[in-house]
Amino acid sequence: MGNEARVGRSELALAAGTAVNAVFAYSFVTAWRRKGAPFVPSAQAKIDAIFGRGGVLQSHVRRRQHAVDLGSGGGAFVRAAVRNGHFARATGYELNPALVLFARMQSVLARGEHFRLCSLWDADLSDADLVFVYGVPSIMVALEAKLTRELPVDAVVVSNLFRFPDVEENRTTALVEEASQWVDAGLQNLSMDDSGMLFVYRHRAKSSE
């Protein structure tokens, strides 16, 4: 009986490992094709730094109707936005169907938590009050252009680890960096989202383009 139990656990571990590697492989392929960023679970410390006491939300976000996560992975940001940030609704956009399914299962009975099987480039930002992105350097220029073109005035953007290049180089842009915060995240819960900066931007004006 003991051997059967060990075999069962081994098979389960093998299946879980295969599934995780398949998810990561899919995500890295899409990133390599410049459709987005690879899947890296957001560290809880960074979620807390946004929605916790004295965090980004309290200091910078004035409206709490709609939060958006561009590349929502397992849906941690979306769930935190509704459950801890008291947003009326939150939408996660994710290209990996396995992650979308997982996120929807976590939110099956939750009102206001939505997940779309959709590229971040096709995300609707027209009424977003808060946008979160954990990108990679290769997409930040194009993503900055999308945000400045589509976000409503006064919307807040939080970028994990990476600055937007035009803002950093003081070029003309509708995004203005308001704050940055170092978060000591460590490698919690097997996340590869290590300690790093959160950069906070506000959309000051609609693009003239």
Side-chain angles (χ1 to χ4, degrees):
M1 192 70 178
N3 287 336
E4 291 178 359
R6 282 195 291 272
V7 170
R9 287 195 295 270
S10 297
E11 291 176 345
L12 181 61
L14 177 61
T18 301
V20 169
N21 278 283
V23 167
F24 273 86
Y26 186 98
S27 297
F28 273 98
V29 168
T30 58
W32 179 71
R33 295 174 65 186
R34 295 191 175 184
K35 290 186 176 181
F39 169 57
V40 176
S42 296
Q44 186 60 47
K46 292 184 178 177
I47 300 295
D48 292 342
I50 297 172
F51 296 106
R53 181 176 299 177
V56 169
L57 179 69
Q58 293 184 353
S59 303
H60 298 280
V61 179
R62 299 166 188 169
R63 300 185 303 253
R64 300 191 188 184
Q65 290 301 307
H66 189 200
V68 170
D69 188 0
L70 298 178
S72 52
F77 178 90
V78 168
R79 292 190 294 273
V82 174
R83 302 178 192 186
N84 304 116
H86 306 295
F87 276 81
R89 62 190 177 99
T91 305
Y93 292 90
E94 173 59 53
L95 262 179
N96 191 317
L99 291 173
V100 172
L101 177 61
F102 173 79
R104 286 175 176 171
M105 290 173 63
Q106 297 296 304
S107 298
V108 66
L109 298 178
R111 296 184 61 184
E113 300 173 14
H114 308 287
F115 299 93
R116 305 281 185 257
L117 181 60
C118 176
S119 166
L120 64 87
W121 305 112
D122 296 323
D124 180 5
L125 305 178
S126 61
D127 65 347
D129 300 312
L130 174 66
V131 175
F132 178 74
V133 60
Y134 187 0
V136 290
S138 62
I139 70 170
M140 297 305 282
V141 171
L143 182 56
E144 183 175 3
K146 175 179 173 66
L147 291 166
T148 57
R149 185 172 59 248
E150 300 179 16
L151 280 177
V153 173
D154 216 31
V156 170
V157 179
V158 179
S159 178
N160 188 9
L161 290 182
F162 302 109
R163 274 194 170 104
F164 290 108
D166 283 355
V167 178
E168 187 176 10
E169 296 175 15
N170 294 318
R171 296 175 182 165
T172 301
T173 178
L175 287 183
V176 176
E177 186 175 322
E178 289 201 336
S180 60
Q181 180 177 342
W182 172 265
V183 180
D184 186 8
L187 292 175
Q188 301 178 15
N189 300 323
L190 300 181
S191 170
M192 293 189 296
D193 184 13
D194 205 348
S195 303
M197 300 293 291
L198 292 176
F199 298 99
V200 182
Y201 302 87
R202 188 176 300 279
H203 189 232
R204 291 296 188 186
K206 291 186 179 295
S207 172
S208 60
E209 297 180 1

